[in-house]
Amino acid sequence: MKRIAIMTSGGDAPGMNAAIRAVVRTGIAFGLEVYGIRQAYTGLLAGDFERLTSREVSGILQRGGTILQTARNEEFKTKQGQRKALRRLNEHQIDGVIVIGGDGSLRGAMALHTLGVPVIGIPASIDNDIYGTDMSIGVDTALNTILDALDRLRDTATSHNRCFLIEVMGRNCGYLALMGGILGGAEVIVTPEKEIPMEEVAHELEAAYIKGKAHAIAVIAEGAPYHVTELVDYLTKQEVGFEIRLTILGHIQRGGGPTAFDRLLATRLGVEAVNRLISGETGVMIARTGRGQNTIPLEEVTSNSRSITDEYYDLAEILSR
Ligand code: ADP
Ligand code: F6P
C-alpha cells in the first residue's frame, strides 16, 4: 500500500478536521502518500484529489467544519456512478480509502468495498445514529452546544415565567433531544422513538406550572411526530399557565470547535483507521465502545439501526418531576 485517500461526507461534524489530521500524520509516519478528496463523493466522481502533507493539516485540530468540505451526491448512489468512482480511484492509483461520515456516507463506503476497493469507515455525525459505536465524532460538541443554549434559555424563561420549546437536530434519531433534555433539566422530551401526544405535553407543562415551577423546558427532536410550530399553536390554545416561546437551534449545533472528547475520539479513530487499512482490513468501520477501538463490518453497520436504551427514558421521567 503506497497511496491512500480520505474524504469527509454527509453533514459536517465538529472533529472531522481532527480525524483528517490524525489520518494524514499517521499515514505519513508509515511512509504513505495521503490524498484528500474534496467534497466527498462529488469530488470523487470529479477526480478532485489533492496531496495532503503534514503542513496542510497544521492548525486544524481545533477547527469545526471540514477543510476537505463535504457534500451530498445522488449520482454516487447509482451503480454507474460507483463504477465511475472506481475509475477515478484507479486513475489516481489510490490503494485504499478512508470515509469519515454518517450512516449514508458509510453506505457509500460499503458500495466501494463491494467493488473491491479497500475501505475503512469512521463514524462522524452529530446525530449519534450510527449502529455499532457508542459515540460518533461531533456528538459531544453538539450536545455541549445544546446544553449551553438550554442553560441560557432557562435563565430568561425563569425571569418571565415562560415555557421554552427547543427544537434540536438528530434527523430520525432522538439521542440529542434525550441527552440534551436529561442534562439540561427539561420537563418534557419528545423524540421520534418515544412519541408523546400533544395532549400529554400540555398536561405535563400544566402540571409543572401548578407545582409552582418558575419555568419549563420542552426539548423536541426534529424527527418528532408533529412539527414544533404545530405544538406551539396547540399549547398556546390550551393555556397551560406558562407563556410559550419557541427556539429552533438549527445548524448552530453543527458548528464550533470540537470538545476535548471529540478531539480525542477523532484522533483515536483516525489513527486506528490507518493501522487497520495497512494491516489489510477492509469493509469495516472503526467503532468506539466500552472496550476501546474495535472494528465492525460496514455491512452490519448499514443494515442495523441504533436504538436508545429505555433506561435513559426512565431517567428523564424521574428527573423531570
Ligand atoms: P450522512 O452520511 O451524514 O448520513 P447522507 O445520508 O446524506 O449523510 O449521505 C451522504 C452521501 O452518502 C449521499 O449524498 C450519497 O452520496 C452517499 N450515500 C448515501 N446512501 C448511499 C447508498 N445507499 N449507496 C451509495 N452511496 C450512498
Ligand atoms: O445528519 C446531521 C444533520 O444535521 C441532521 O441532524 C439534520 O437533519 C440534517 O443533517 C440537516 O441537513 P442539512 O445540513 O442538509 O440541512
Side-chain angles (χ1 to χ4, degrees):
M1 184 160 292
K2 272 169 57 186
R3 189 177 283 182
I4 64 169
I6 177 175
M7 70 161 85
T8 49
S9 172
D12 63 351
M16 279 181 161
N17 281 327
I20 294 170
R21 173 179 176 270
V23 166
V24 170
R25 293 198 172 162
T26 309
I28 290 170
F30 280 110
L32 299 175
E33 290 177 8
V34 186
Y35 279 75
I37 304 173
R38 297 209 147 271
Q39 297 189 336
Y41 296 110
T42 302
L44 175 54
L45 291 172
D48 195 356
F49 295 60
E50 66 165 320
R51 177 90 182 265
L52 297 175
T53 67
S54 221
R55 294 288 67 76
E56 262 87 45
V57 295
S58 263
I60 66 167
L61 175 65
Q62 77 289 358
R63 278 168 54 190
T66 158
I67 58 160
L68 291 175
Q69 295 191 293
T70 180
R72 295 195 167 100
N73 184 287
E74 285 306 308
E75 187 188 352
F76 184 74
K77 288 185 179 173
T78 66
K79 282 270 166 284
Q80 203 190 0
Q82 288 158 18
R83 279 196 293 268
K84 186 165 154 191
L86 183 59
R87 276 205 308 277
R88 294 279 181 256
L89 289 169
N90 288 336
E91 280 161 19
H92 289 82
Q93 298 173 315
I94 302 294
D95 303 315
V97 180
I98 293 176
V99 176
I100 305 172
D103 57 349
S105 305
L106 297 172
R107 269 177 234 285
M110 178 69 199
L112 288 177
H113 167 68
T114 308
L115 286 174
V117 178
V119 176
I120 305 279
I122 294 181
S125 163
I126 65 163
D127 301 339
N128 215 21
D129 58 348
I130 301 171
Y131 181 83
T133 186
D134 292 345
M135 289 291 271
S136 296
I137 295 170
V139 176
D140 186 65
T141 307
L143 202 46
N144 278 292
T145 303
I146 291 169
L147 292 184
D148 183 52
L150 288 188
D151 293 347
R152 288 165 190 267
L153 290 170
R154 193 185 308 92
D155 287 347
T156 173
T158 310
S159 306
H160 290 266
N161 222 27
R162 282 174 174 164
C163 166
F164 270 84
L165 303 190
I166 296 134
E167 188 198 83
V168 301
M169 279 187 165
R171 212 179 277 194
N172 300 316
C173 176
Y175 182 90
L176 287 177
L178 184 58
M179 290 306 169
I182 292 173
L183 303 174
E187 275 62 35
V188 176
I189 303 169
V190 186
T191 65
E193 294 90 348
K194 264 231 174 12
E195 305 178 354
I196 302 183
M198 288 200 268
E199 301 78 50
E200 203 177 316
V201 175
H203 173 77
E204 294 289 340
L205 294 176
E206 196 174 1
Y209 186 79
I210 291 167
K211 250 188 267 178
K213 288 203 178 191
H215 59 255
I217 299 286
V219 180
I220 317 295
E222 65 176 350
Y226 34 77
H227 194 267
V228 73
T229 52
E230 260 182 86
L231 185 60
V232 171
D233 291 345
Y234 179 79
L235 294 174
T236 306
K237 282 195 197 106
Q238 292 301 302
E239 297 183 2
V240 295
F242 298 107
E243 243 190 309
I244 308 291
R245 290 289 186 274
L246 168 66
T247 299
I248 296 177
L249 290 186
H251 289 78
I252 281 175
Q253 295 161 96
R254 287 240 297 263
T259 56
F261 180 93
D262 272 327
R263 291 183 202 196
L264 183 61
L265 179 69
T267 301
R268 281 180 161 157
L269 298 185
V271 170
E272 194 62 13
V274 177
N275 288 340
R276 300 286 182 153
L277 198 56
I278 286 172
S279 68
E281 275 191 69
T282 174
V284 296
M285 178 186 84
I286 313 294
R288 174 77 199 168
T289 67
R291 287 168 292 131
Q293 282 79 244
N294 307 294
T295 56
I296 171 167
L298 282 169
E299 177 138 39
E300 200 179 329
V301 173
T302 54
S303 56
N304 284 288
S305 50
R306 191 177 192 279
S307 58
I308 303 173
T309 57
D310 277 344
E311 184 198 334
Y312 284 118
Y313 285 100
D314 298 343
L315 208 59
E317 214 278 306
I318 293 165
L319 296 174
S320 65
R321 286 180 196 169

